[in-house]
Amino acid sequence: MFPPIEPFESGYLAVGDGHQIYWEASGRPDGIPALYLHGGPGSGLTPGYRRLFDPDVFQIVSFDQRGCGRSHPLVTEEGADLSTNTTAHLVADIEALRAHRGVDRWLVTGASWGTTLALAHAQAHPARVTELILFAVTTTTAAEVQWITEAMGNVFPREWDQFASAVERRPGQRLIDAYYDAITDPDPQVRERTAAAWCAWEDVHVSLAPDHRPSPRFEDPQFRQVFATLVIHYWKHAAFTGNRDLHDGVHRLEGIPGVLIHGRLDVSSPLRTAWRLHRAWPGSRLVVADDGHGGEDMAAAVRAAIAEYASRFGDPAGRSGLS
C-alpha cells in the first residue's frame, strides 16, 4: 500500500433535494483523474482507499454518498427522505462532482456496492469513463439480494435463524421487506434492534476466509443504523434498476476496458456474479483472488490494475482527463 495521505482539498457540494455531499481530492492536483466509490450502501469513506493509488500520479476523488458519512442530512436524521436516495440520484451526484472538479473523463473504481454504482454510472455516461476497476463485484440484482437474505441460510443455518427471527415477518413476506418495515418503524428502539441484527448478519456472511474478523465499525450505534437503513433500502429495491438489471446494459460499456477483481472465498457475493458480467463484457478481464469480500490478495490485485492503467494512460502532464 502507498503511504497514508491527507486530501489536498475537500468540501461540500449541494446536489439538490436538500442534500449536500462531502467530497475530497487527494494525491496530485494535476494528476490522472480517478474516482473511488465506496461500498455499503452507507459505508462512507475511510482513509485507506487513498493508499491504492500512487499519489504522485493520480488526482484521487471520492465522496460520501447521500445520507451517510459526512454528507448531510444523514439518512437517520428526522425528516430524511428515502425517496430522494436512489441509484439515479447517486449517478447524478457523480456527474455533478465530476463537473465541479473540472474533469472530462476519469478512471472509475469501486468496491462492493461501489461496483454496482460504478456500472450504473458508466452505463448512463459512458463518454465520461476511461476504464472501470471493480473489486468485490456485485450488481445488486433481486436474485443476489435473495441469495444473501434467504438462501444463505443453507450455509449458516444457526445464524440465519437468529437473523430471520429478529423481525416480525408476515406469511409469505420476503425477509428483506420485513427488515425494511422494521428499519423504518417510527419506534427508535425497533430501528436500533433491527440495525444491530442486520449488522450481525453482515459479519456472518461476508466471507468464508478463516481469518475474517467482525467489522469494528458496527460497534458504533449511529454507524450501524445509517449503514443498515441504506443497505436495506437499496436491497429492497434491487438497486432501483426496474425490470432490468445492470447485466442488460453491458452493451453500453463497449470500448470501455474493465478489470473485475473478486475473491474465491466471497460467499456473500458469489464469483458467478463477476463471471457472468465478465462473459457479457468483451472488454473486461477477470482476476480471482484467494480472498473473501476483501483481503490482502484482492488489494494487491487492485493496486496492480491501477498501476497498469497509469502506465497505459501515459504521463500525467500529457493526459487529457481534465477539461
Side-chain angles (χ1 to χ4, degrees):
M1 300 285 276
F2 291 98
I5 57 172
E6 294 298 319
F8 63 76
E9 191 175 355
S10 64
Y12 285 87
L13 180 64
V15 289
D17 309 306
H19 287 275
Q20 290 193 332
I21 58 169
Y22 168 82
W23 63 269
E24 59 185 37
S26 311
R28 178 170 171 164
D30 66 343
I32 299 173
L35 173 70
Y36 173 82
L37 298 173
H38 68 68
S43 292
L45 295 178
T46 57
Y49 81 90
R50 305 173 197 143
R51 301 182 64 189
L52 297 169
F53 302 82
D54 185 339
D56 294 327
V57 173
F58 286 97
Q59 176 195 163
I60 313 153
V61 180
S62 194
F63 68 103
D64 286 324
Q65 294 160 27
R66 288 190 182 203
C68 73
R70 285 154 289 187
S71 293
H72 301 299
L74 290 177
V75 72
T76 51
E77 291 180 24
E78 187 174 355
D81 184 2
L82 281 170
S83 71
T84 63
N85 203 321
T86 70
T87 305
H89 287 99
L90 299 185
V91 168
D93 294 349
I94 292 170
E95 277 298 282
L97 180 57
R98 181 191 60 76
H100 181 71
R101 293 299 305 160
V103 173
D104 182 26
R105 305 169 69 217
W106 50 12
L107 165 68
V108 178
T109 68
S112 191
W113 155 257
T115 68
T116 297
L117 182 55
L119 287 165
H121 172 257
Q123 290 181 18
H125 302 282
R128 300 305 185 183
V129 177
T130 56
E131 183 166 328
L132 290 164
I133 297 177
L134 310 178
F135 42 109
V137 178
T138 69
T139 52
T140 318
T141 61
E144 288 170 72
V145 172
Q146 192 276 340
W147 164 257
I148 296 176
T149 58
E150 307 274 0
M152 192 76 76
N154 293 306
V155 183
F156 303 106
R158 179 186 60 188
E159 294 86 351
W160 185 85
D161 282 352
Q162 295 169 347
F163 172 60
S165 63
V167 293
E168 294 184 9
R169 187 179 186 184
R170 298 188 304 273
Q173 186 182 29
R174 295 191 311 165
L175 191 53
I176 188 63
D177 294 331
Y179 262 88
Y180 185 85
D181 291 344
I183 203 65
T184 56
D185 192 280
D187 186 338
Q189 293 185 340
V190 172
R191 296 197 301 271
E192 172 51 31
R193 289 197 303 269
T194 303
W198 183 271
C199 292
W201 178 242
E202 288 271 352
D203 270 335
V204 167
H205 70 67
V206 74
S207 177
L208 289 175
D211 60 349
H212 171 70
R213 297 290 181 270
S215 171
R217 302 181 80 192
F218 290 152
E219 296 173 7
D220 179 349
Q222 177 172 287
F223 177 82
R224 275 201 308 262
Q225 198 161 342
V226 167
F227 177 85
T229 301
L230 285 169
V231 174
I232 294 166
H233 173 61
Y234 275 84
W235 286 15
K236 170 183 169 63
H237 297 98
F240 297 91
T241 56
N243 295 324
R244 65 176 191 86
D245 63 43
L246 291 170
H247 296 269
D248 299 325
V250 167
H251 64 280
R252 295 188 58 80
L253 304 179
E254 183 177 358
I256 300 176
V259 182
L260 309 173
I261 301 166
H262 204 79
R264 193 182 303 278
L265 300 178
D266 188 342
V267 67
S268 66
S269 181
L271 182 56
R272 181 172 178 81
T273 298
W275 173 252
R276 180 183 171 210
L277 185 62
H278 168 59
R279 290 286 301 272
W281 182 5
S284 68
R285 175 166 58 93
L286 177 62
V287 178
V288 181
D290 291 326
D291 276 327
H293 202 71
E296 293 182 4
D297 287 350
M298 184 176 294
V302 173
R303 292 196 304 274
I306 292 172
E308 181 184 343
Y309 170 85
S311 68
R312 290 199 312 272
F313 207 61
D315 183 83
R319 81 212 179 290
S320 58
L322 295 178
S323 59

